[in-house]
Coordinates of all heavy atoms in Angstrom, one line a residue:
K1211 N 53.1 66.2 -22.5 CA 53.9 66.4 -23.7 C 53.0 66.6 -24.9 O 53.3 67.4 -25.8 CB 54.9 65.3 -23.9 CG 55.9 65.5 -25.1 CD 56.9 64.4 -25.1 CE 57.9 64.7 -26.3 NZ 58.9 63.6 -26.4
A1212 N 51.9 65.8 -25.0 CA 51.0 65.9 -26.2 C 50.4 67.2 -26.2 O 50.2 67.8 -27.3 CB 50.0 64.8 -26.1
Q1213 N 50.0 67.8 -25.0 CA 49.4 69.1 -25.0 C 50.4 70.2 -25.4 O 50.0 71.2 -26.0 CB 48.9 69.4 -23.5 CG 47.6 68.6 -23.2 CD 47.1 68.9 -21.8 OE1 47.9 68.7 -20.8 NE2 45.9 69.4 -21.7
A1214 N 51.7 70.0 -25.0 CA 52.7 70.9 -25.4 C 52.9 70.9 -26.9 O 53.2 72.0 -27.5 CB 54.0 70.6 -24.7
V1215 N 52.8 69.8 -27.6 CA 53.0 69.7 -29.0 C 51.8 70.4 -29.8 O 52.1 71.1 -30.7 CB 53.0 68.2 -29.5 CG1 53.1 68.1 -31.0 CG2 54.3 67.6 -28.9
I1216 N 50.6 70.3 -29.3 CA 49.4 70.9 -30.0 C 48.6 71.7 -29.0 O 48.1 71.1 -28.0 CB 48.5 69.8 -30.6 CG1 49.3 68.9 -31.6 CG2 47.4 70.4 -31.3 CD1 48.5 67.8 -32.2
A1217 N 48.6 72.9 -29.2 CA 47.8 73.8 -28.3 C 46.3 73.5 -28.5 O 45.8 73.4 -29.7 CB 48.1 75.3 -28.6
G1218 N 45.5 73.4 -27.5 CA 44.1 73.2 -27.6 C 43.8 71.8 -28.1 O 42.7 71.6 -28.7
L1219 N 44.7 70.8 -27.9 CA 44.4 69.4 -28.3 C 43.1 68.9 -27.6 O 42.9 69.1 -26.4 CB 45.6 68.6 -27.9 CG 45.5 67.1 -28.2 CD1 45.4 66.8 -29.6 CD2 46.7 66.3 -27.5
T1220 N 42.3 68.2 -28.4 CA 41.1 67.6 -27.9 C 41.5 66.2 -27.3 O 42.0 65.4 -27.9 CB 40.0 67.4 -28.9 OG1 39.7 68.6 -29.5 CG2 38.8 66.8 -28.4
M1221 N 41.2 66.1 -25.9 CA 41.5 64.8 -25.3 C 40.3 64.3 -24.6 O 39.4 65.0 -24.2 CB 42.6 65.1 -24.2 CG 43.9 65.6 -24.8 SD 45.3 65.6 -23.5 CE 44.6 66.7 -22.3
M1222 N 40.2 63.0 -24.5 CA 39.1 62.3 -23.9 C 39.6 61.2 -23.0 O 40.7 60.6 -23.3 CB 38.1 61.8 -24.9 CG 38.6 60.8 -25.9 SD 37.4 60.2 -27.0 CE 36.5 59.1 -25.9
D1223 N 39.0 60.9 -21.9 CA 39.4 59.8 -21.0 C 39.1 58.5 -21.7 O 38.0 58.3 -22.3 CB 38.7 59.9 -19.7 CG 39.2 61.1 -18.9 OD1 40.4 61.5 -19.1 OD2 38.4 61.7 -18.1
A1224 N 39.9 57.5 -21.4 CA 39.7 56.2 -21.9 C 38.5 55.6 -21.3 O 38.2 55.8 -20.1 CB 40.9 55.3 -21.7
D1225 N 37.7 54.8 -22.1 CA 36.5 54.1 -21.6 C 36.6 52.7 -22.0 O 36.0 52.2 -23.0 CB 35.3 54.8 -22.2 CG 34.0 54.2 -21.5 OD1 34.1 53.3 -20.7 OD2 32.9 54.8 -21.8
P1226 N 37.5 51.9 -21.3 CA 37.7 50.5 -21.7 C 36.5 49.6 -21.7 O 36.3 48.7 -22.5 CB 38.8 50.0 -20.7 CG 38.7 50.9 -19.5 CD 38.3 52.2 -20.1
V1227 N 35.5 49.9 -20.8 CA 34.3 49.1 -20.7 C 33.5 49.3 -22.0 O 33.0 48.4 -22.6 CB 33.5 49.5 -19.5 CG1 32.1 48.7 -19.5 CG2 34.3 49.2 -18.2
A1228 N 33.3 50.6 -22.4 CA 32.6 50.9 -23.6 C 33.3 50.3 -24.9 O 32.6 49.8 -25.8 CB 32.3 52.4 -23.8
D1229 N 34.6 50.4 -24.9 CA 35.3 49.8 -26.0 C 35.2 48.3 -26.1 O 35.1 47.7 -27.2 CB 36.8 50.2 -26.0 CG 37.0 51.7 -26.3 OD1 36.1 52.3 -27.0 OD2 38.0 52.3 -26.0
A1230 N 35.2 47.7 -24.9 CA 35.1 46.2 -24.9 C 33.7 45.8 -25.4 O 33.6 44.8 -26.2 CB 35.3 45.7 -23.5
A1231 N 32.7 46.6 -25.0 CA 31.3 46.3 -25.5 C 31.2 46.5 -27.0 O 30.6 45.7 -27.7 CB 30.3 47.1 -24.8
A1232 N 31.9 47.5 -27.5 CA 31.9 47.8 -29.0 C 32.6 46.7 -29.7 O 32.1 46.2 -30.8 CB 32.6 49.1 -29.3
L1233 N 33.7 46.2 -29.2 CA 34.4 45.1 -29.9 C 33.6 43.8 -29.9 O 33.6 43.1 -30.9 CB 35.7 44.8 -29.2 CG 36.9 45.7 -29.5 CD1 38.1 45.3 -28.7 CD2 37.3 45.6 -31.0
E1234 N 32.8 43.6 -28.8 CA 32.0 42.4 -28.8 C 30.9 42.5 -29.8 O 30.5 41.5 -30.5 CB 31.4 42.2 -27.4 CG 30.6 40.9 -27.3 CD 30.2 40.6 -25.8 OE1 31.1 40.5 -25.0 OE2 29.0 40.4 -25.6
R1235 N 30.3 43.7 -30.0 CA 29.3 43.8 -31.0 C 29.8 43.6 -32.4 O 29.2 43.0 -33.2 CB 28.7 45.3 -30.9 CG 27.8 45.5 -29.6 CD 26.9 46.7 -29.8 NE 27.8 47.9 -29.9 CZ 28.2 48.6 -28.9 NH1 27.9 48.3 -27.6 NH2 28.9 49.7 -29.1
L1236 N 31.1 44.1 -32.6 CA 31.7 43.9 -33.9 C 32.0 42.4 -34.2 O 31.8 41.9 -35.3 CB 33.0 44.7 -34.0 CG 32.8 46.3 -34.1 CD1 34.1 47.0 -33.9 CD2 32.3 46.6 -35.5
A1237 N 32.4 41.7 -33.1 CA 32.7 40.3 -33.3 C 31.4 39.5 -33.6 O 31.4 38.6 -34.4 CB 33.4 39.8 -32.0
L1238 N 30.3 39.9 -32.9 CA 29.0 39.2 -33.2 C 28.6 39.5 -34.6 O 28.0 38.6 -35.3 CB 28.0 39.7 -32.2 CG 28.0 39.1 -30.8 CD1 27.0 39.8 -29.9 CD2 27.7 37.6 -30.9
W1239 N 28.8 40.7 -35.1 CA 28.5 41.1 -36.5 C 29.3 40.2 -37.5 O 28.7 39.7 -38.4 CB 28.7 42.6 -36.7 CG 28.6 43.0 -38.1 CD1 27.5 43.2 -38.9 CD2 29.8 43.2 -39.0 NE1 27.9 43.5 -40.2 CE2 29.2 43.6 -40.3 CE3 31.1 43.2 -38.9 CZ2 30.0 43.9 -41.4 CZ3 32.0 43.4 -39.9 CH2 31.4 43.8 -41.2
A1240 N 30.6 40.1 -37.2 CA 31.4 39.3 -38.1 C 31.0 37.8 -38.0 O 31.1 37.1 -39.0 CB 32.9 39.5 -37.7
L1241 N 30.6 37.3 -36.8 CA 30.2 36.0 -36.7 C 29.0 35.7 -37.6 O 28.9 34.6 -38.2 CB 29.9 35.7 -35.2 CG 29.3 34.3 -34.8 CD1 30.3 33.3 -35.0 CD2 28.7 34.3 -33.4
R1242 N 28.1 36.6 -37.6 CA 26.9 36.4 -38.4 C 27.1 36.6 -39.9 O 26.5 35.9 -40.7 CB 25.8 37.4 -38.0 CG 25.3 37.2 -36.6 CD 24.1 38.1 -36.2 NE 23.6 37.8 -34.9 CZ 23.9 38.5 -33.8 NH1 24.7 39.6 -33.9 NH2 23.4 38.2 -32.6
Q1243 N 28.1 37.4 -40.3 CA 28.3 37.8 -41.7 C 29.4 37.0 -42.4 O 29.4 36.8 -43.6 CB 28.5 39.3 -41.8 CG 27.4 40.1 -41.3 CD 26.2 40.0 -42.2 OE1 26.2 39.7 -43.4 NE2 25.0 40.1 -41.5
Y1244 N 30.5 36.6 -41.6 CA 31.7 36.1 -42.3 C 32.1 34.7 -41.9 O 32.3 33.9 -42.8 CB 32.8 37.1 -42.0 CG 32.8 38.4 -42.7 CD1 32.1 39.5 -42.2 CD2 33.4 38.5 -44.0 CE1 32.0 40.7 -43.0 CE2 33.3 39.6 -44.7 CZ 32.6 40.7 -44.2 OH 32.5 41.9 -45.0
S1245 N 32.3 34.4 -40.6 CA 32.9 33.1 -40.3 C 32.2 32.5 -39.0 O 31.8 33.3 -38.1 CB 34.4 33.4 -40.0 OG 35.0 32.2 -39.5
P1246 N 32.2 31.2 -39.0 CA 31.6 30.6 -37.8 C 32.5 30.7 -36.5 O 32.0 30.5 -35.4 CB 31.5 29.1 -38.2 CG 31.5 29.1 -39.7 CD 32.4 30.2 -40.0
V1247 N 33.8 31.0 -36.7 CA 34.7 31.1 -35.6 C 35.3 32.5 -35.5 O 36.1 32.9 -36.3 CB 35.9 30.1 -35.7 CG1 36.8 30.2 -34.6 CG2 35.3 28.7 -35.9
V1248 N 34.7 33.3 -34.6 CA 35.2 34.7 -34.4 C 35.3 34.9 -32.9 O 34.5 34.4 -32.1 CB 34.1 35.7 -35.0 CG1 34.6 37.1 -34.8 CG2 33.9 35.4 -36.4
A1249 N 36.3 35.7 -32.5 CA 36.6 36.0 -31.1 C 37.1 37.4 -31.0 O 37.7 38.0 -32.0 CB 37.5 35.0 -30.5
V1250 N 37.0 38.0 -29.9 CA 37.7 39.3 -29.6 C 39.2 39.1 -29.4 O 39.6 38.2 -28.7 CB 37.1 40.0 -28.3 CG1 37.8 41.2 -28.0 CG2 35.6 40.3 -28.6
D1251 N 40.0 39.9 -30.1 CA 41.4 39.8 -30.0 C 42.0 41.0 -29.2 O 42.3 42.0 -29.8 CB 42.0 39.8 -31.5 CG 43.4 39.5 -31.6 OD1 44.0 39.1 -30.5 OD2 44.0 39.6 -32.7

Side-chain angles (χ1 to χ4, degrees):
K1211 186 175 180 180
Q1213 286 178 304
V1215 172
I1216 303 177
L1219 174 66
T1220 302
M1221 298 191 298
M1222 56 177 289
D1223 291 332
D1225 190 351
V1227 175
D1229 286 341
L1233 279 177
E1234 185 171 305
R1235 289 195 299 271
L1236 286 167
L1238 282 172
W1239 170 78
L1241 176 69
R1242 296 185 176 101
Q1243 299 295 327
Y1244 284 91
S1245 173
V1247 180
V1248 181
V1250 174
D1251 189 6

